[in-house]
Amino acid sequence: MSNTQQLQDFSTQVRRDILRMVHAVNSGHPGGSLGCTEFFTALYQQLLERKPGFNMDGIGEDLFFLSNGHISPVFYSVLARSGYFPVAELATFRKLNSRLQGHPTTHDGLPGVRMASGSLGQGMSVAIGAAQAKKLNGDKHLIYSLHGDGELQEGQNWEAIMYASAKKIDNLIATIDLNGQQIDGSTDDVLNLGNLKTKFEAFDWDVLEIKEGNNIDAIIKGMTEAKSRTGKGKPVCVLLHTVMGNGVDFMMHTHAWHGKAPNNEQLAVGLAQNAETLGDY
Amino acid sequence: MKKYTNTGSKDTRSGFGAGMTELGQKNENVVALCADLIGSLKFDEFKKNHPERFFQVGIAEANMIGIAAGLTIGGKIPFTGTFANFSTGRVYDQIRQSVAYSDKNVKICASHAGLTLGEDGATHQILEDIGLMKMLPGMTVINTCDYNQTKAATLALADHHGPAYLRFGRPVVPNFTPADEPFVIGKAIMLNEGTDVTIIATGHLVWEALLAAEALEAKGISAEVINIHTIKPLDDTAILKSVAKTGCVVTAEEHNFLGGLGESVARVLALNNPKPQEFVAVNDSFGESGTPEQLMEKYKLNNQAIVEAVERVIKRK
């Protein structure tokens, strides 16, 4: 168990990793990655019951599935700094012959990744399947998943959302990253998602909101509450209100940095706002 | 020529159902998923015997493929079942990313493939599925010819690790594969040895190829008949060995000639031993309503069409 300061230091270092990884190859998705840094930190450093090492079947441990695979920088940084593979490997992100592909894949055997994602809208179905495998195996551990808000425009999600409640998949906590932004603008402008809380509730999910999705204590408190609601016959949805680009002032509150890398000067500004804590890769 | 006996016509999908019933008893990791077509896929027995391992997903094929991929994480061996069109074209990206690229041990089992689905017409008669599936890296593609072979293939897939597509159909067709014949993925079956032409057939066209070979024998033409149940990986060795002897090929399949078995065979020949080839396949069109027999005749996918193709290809030698 870590204290809040340790988790904040971890997050700060992850933000540095994200900026440096994306800058080094002049491509990738910093905005959503930065917005979910505290969530990934809380998940891997505090919430998940994990076994040492990596086994694809993940029996006897909690599993996490990333559906919005484009926020791979935060996923890779947190996986590396949680011991799944060497931190130095972050330097290979998006480069030829790397295990750290632009979007996560199992194809190259990167520990910590259990499915490919990138083409949006597929992760909830996979998470449900893994949750059903846990039930068949008598494994009481949980499945966690993360989805972008814009990603919910993909219809497959709603097939999965309907299925999960109908089949009482109550060992699943699906978190929606509610940053309100997508590539072409705000989700309100592109295709308004409406009231997601009432939508999920109409599909008979148990829904919680974490209003401060970039506050580690609030995330831990909210996710602990979510965990307490599992096993009661309903899938659990967490609406995580985040700020895209969080922690780098000029990247915040805009879709502009969804999939754009900072230049040298912008990188320097971003790094200055996030002092090195655990050592750069 | 060697004689094959129809031991009683049945539909290939019932062979799949029988295979699933047996797998349910033999392998507790086997699970089945269906998108509102239990009866059509012959899942009734599996569902009755193992309700906890049977997942009715409703009319939501994309979700079904994703759930199947997830079920492999934890050691399950999922067999999904719906019509071939909804097993492939409708869910191509889900198969591509969540199954094939993710290297998940999912068996995509597809009934009602091709024209022999009949009266429902072109919306349901997919003729592009072999092409779609064989283009995916790592995907095994199987198209079985009769009840016994479909059952054997179903059993074999449970012991094969990796994504696979199993294609079968709706109509009642002759059942001539010996019930005890082992199914070896990727291994062609020599049905009849001949010297003048090699007929390479898959699925429902295999029996038609045997009928064609009999007709050709009466005309003094000695036809070698090969049953290719596995289109990927293709048994290049068996094809090349036969063609080295006969010098020409007719391929026969219930599929568009684009992307099907014929093109896979043509590639093997082009790379190793170019020889004349004729294609018995659908000529880049959609199907239509009609009885299976009417459709197979209109689209030239029967034994007469094979005989005509043989006569054409022999002239090109």
Side-chain angles (χ1 to χ4, degrees):
Chain A
M1 296 290 259
S2 309
N3 63 37
T4 302
Q5 187 58 49
Q6 286 173 320
L7 294 173
Q8 280 170 353
D9 288 348
F10 189 97
S11 289
T12 304
Q13 187 64 48
V14 169
R15 273 198 288 276
R16 288 181 68 86
D17 290 347
I18 293 167
L19 291 169
R20 296 178 66 236
M21 287 163 72
V22 171
H23 171 264
V25 289
N26 194 29
S27 73
H29 298 79
S33 295
L34 291 165
C36 289
T37 295
E38 291 82 3
F39 175 78
F40 274 85
T41 298
L43 197 63
Y44 276 87
Q45 292 298 302
Q46 192 83 8
L47 297 163
L48 288 177
E49 291 180 19
R50 301 187 284 125
K51 280 184 170 174
F54 176 72
N55 176 286
M56 179 58 79
D57 283 339
I59 290 168
E61 59 181 328
D62 294 340
L63 306 183
F64 170 72
F65 293 92
L66 176 64
S67 188
N68 47 332
H70 56 274
I71 66 167
S72 57
V74 64
F75 193 23
Y76 294 151
S77 169
V78 170
L79 284 178
R81 292 188 181 277
S82 300
Y84 285 93
F85 57 86
V87 172
E89 202 169 337
L90 295 176
T92 71
F93 174 62
R94 283 184 172 242
K95 291 181 178 167
L96 195 63
N97 300 320
S98 173
R99 298 194 294 180
L100 279 62
Q101 291 290 297
H103 294 81
T105 176
T106 60
H107 205 63
D108 306 302
L110 186 68
V113 180
R114 289 192 167 83
M115 68 160 193
S117 58
S119 178
L120 294 172
Q122 300 187 26
M124 196 172 306
S125 302
V126 178
I128 289 168
Q132 295 201 287
K134 285 239 180 278
K135 284 179 180 270
L136 283 175
N137 288 332
D139 183 345
K140 298 294 184 194
H141 285 81
L142 297 175
I143 303 294
Y144 292 80
S145 61
L146 182 66
H147 314 263
D149 49 3
E151 185 183 10
L152 294 179
Q153 290 158 0
E154 291 280 8
Q156 184 183 345
N157 285 304
W158 300 97
E159 296 181 2
I161 291 164
M162 181 183 290
Y163 179 93
S165 53
K167 307 292 179 175
K168 300 185 170 29
I169 311 299
D170 60 1
N171 54 345
L172 168 68
I173 301 174
T175 299
I176 312 299
D177 174 20
L178 270 184
N179 61 26
Q181 307 289 339
Q182 57 190 110
I183 295 178
D184 279 350
S186 73
T187 52
D188 286 351
D189 288 341
V190 175
L191 181 63
N192 197 322
L193 300 167
N195 187 328
L196 284 178
K197 184 166 191 292
T198 56
K199 281 192 166 83
F200 271 93
E201 285 173 346
F203 279 77
D204 210 19
W205 283 54
D206 191 358
V207 185
L208 308 85
E209 294 206 58
I210 299 178
K211 296 283 189 186
E212 294 178 79
N214 295 108
N215 176 323
I216 285 186
D217 287 338
I219 293 167
I220 291 171
K221 183 164 174 266
M223 294 302 289
T224 303
E225 169 67 15
K227 189 174 174 180
S228 76
R229 297 205 200 169
T230 58
K232 300 188 191 315
K234 288 188 181 190
V236 178
C237 170
V238 174
L239 299 175
L240 182 75
H241 294 257
T242 68
V243 174
M244 202 176 202
N246 187 59
V248 178
D249 59 7
F250 62 90
M251 290 187 175
M252 292 170 70
H253 302 289
T254 171
H255 66 273
W257 295 91
H258 167 89
K260 189 173 107 177
N263 62 27
N264 291 341
E265 292 72 32
Q266 290 161 337
L267 174 70
V269 172
L271 293 180
Q273 294 172 10
N274 293 277
E276 193 171 348
T277 53
L278 305 180
D280 286 339
Y281 64 82
Chain B
M1 68 174 275
K2 191 172 171 185
K3 283 287 172 200
Y4 286 88
T5 307
N6 175 11
T7 57
S9 293
K10 295 180 187 175
D11 47 359
T12 49
R13 57 182 169 148
S14 287
F16 169 69
M20 288 306 297
T21 301
E22 189 169 325
L23 277 179
Q25 287 151 6
K26 281 168 59 174
N27 190 332
E28 65 177 18
N29 282 324
V30 167
V31 299
L33 299 90
C34 188
D36 196 29
L37 285 170
I38 291 170
S40 295
L41 268 291
K42 306 297 180 187
F43 272 135
D44 312 74
E45 283 294 308
F46 187 98
K47 177 175 185 268
K48 188 179 79 183
N49 296 340
H50 314 285
E52 75 290 354
R53 286 193 268 143
F54 182 81
F55 301 94
Q56 168 63 274
V57 298
I59 311 165
E61 294 82 7
N63 190 38
M64 176 171 73
I65 296 296
I67 291 172
L71 277 161
T72 66
I73 301 165
K76 303 305 161 197
I77 308 171
F79 285 67
T80 68
T82 182
F83 290 169
N85 188 27
F86 314 136
S87 292
T88 58
R90 188 176 182 93
V91 291
Y92 195 66
D93 191 43
Q94 284 77 18
I95 295 174
R96 181 175 183 274
Q97 176 171 286
S98 293
V99 176
Y101 187 44
S102 292
D103 192 28
K104 296 304 183 208
N105 191 24
V106 175
K107 318 303 179 187
I108 298 158
C109 303
S111 184
H112 293 56
L115 292 175
T116 50
L117 171 146
E119 293 81 351
D120 278 347
T123 54
H124 289 50
Q125 292 162 338
I126 194 163
L127 296 164
E128 309 92 47
D129 54 324
I130 291 173
L132 288 170
M133 290 297 107
K134 81 178 186 182
M135 282 194 293
L136 290 170
M139 181 68 73
T140 295
V141 179
I142 295 171
N143 184 23
T144 49
C145 67
D146 66 6
Y147 174 97
N148 283 344
Q149 190 173 72
T150 309
K151 182 181 176 187
T154 305
L155 296 172
L157 278 177
D159 295 326
H160 166 84
H161 187 88
Y165 178 60
L166 175 61
R167 180 195 213 235
F168 44 92
R170 177 179 183 236
V172 170
V173 294
N175 185 29
F176 59 95
T177 299
D180 59 351
E181 183 167 285
F183 188 92
V184 183
I185 293 169
K187 185 80 179 159
I189 298 172
M190 173 66 71
L191 289 179
N192 187 57
E193 295 196 23
T195 53
D196 298 330
V197 62
T198 301
I199 302 172
I200 301 174
T202 190
H204 294 142
L205 270 294
V206 175
W207 180 253
E208 296 297 319
L210 289 171
L211 295 178
E214 281 183 21
L216 288 163
E217 187 179 43
K219 295 183 178 206
I221 296 171
S222 167
E224 184 142 301
V225 180
I226 296 176
N227 173 358
I228 291 277
H229 49 65
T230 308
I231 291 153
K232 182 184 175 185
L234 193 62
D235 190 347
D236 298 9
T237 307
I239 292 167
L240 289 169
K241 188 177 169 197
S242 176
V243 174
K245 177 172 62 174
T246 64
C248 63
V249 178
V250 168
T251 51
E253 60 193 309
E254 191 181 345
H255 191 272
N256 195 340
F257 77 85
L258 292 169
L261 166 69
E263 284 198 347
S264 288
V265 171
R267 176 182 176 276
V268 172
L269 298 181
L271 286 171
N272 297 282
N273 184 14
K275 293 291 178 197
Q277 178 180 352
E278 291 284 331
F279 296 72
V280 173
V282 173
N283 187 20
D284 197 21
S285 77
F286 292 105
E288 62 181 290
S289 291
T291 68
E293 297 75 19
Q294 288 170 335
L295 290 163
M296 296 299 263
E297 186 177 350
K298 175 168 177 177
Y299 288 83
K300 300 193 184 313
L301 298 181
N302 55 16
N303 60 79
Q304 295 95 320
I306 295 171
V307 168
E308 288 164 18
V310 165
E311 289 171 338
R312 286 198 304 275
V313 81
I314 284 178
K315 284 184 193 153
R316 294 172 52 204
K317 277 214 267 188

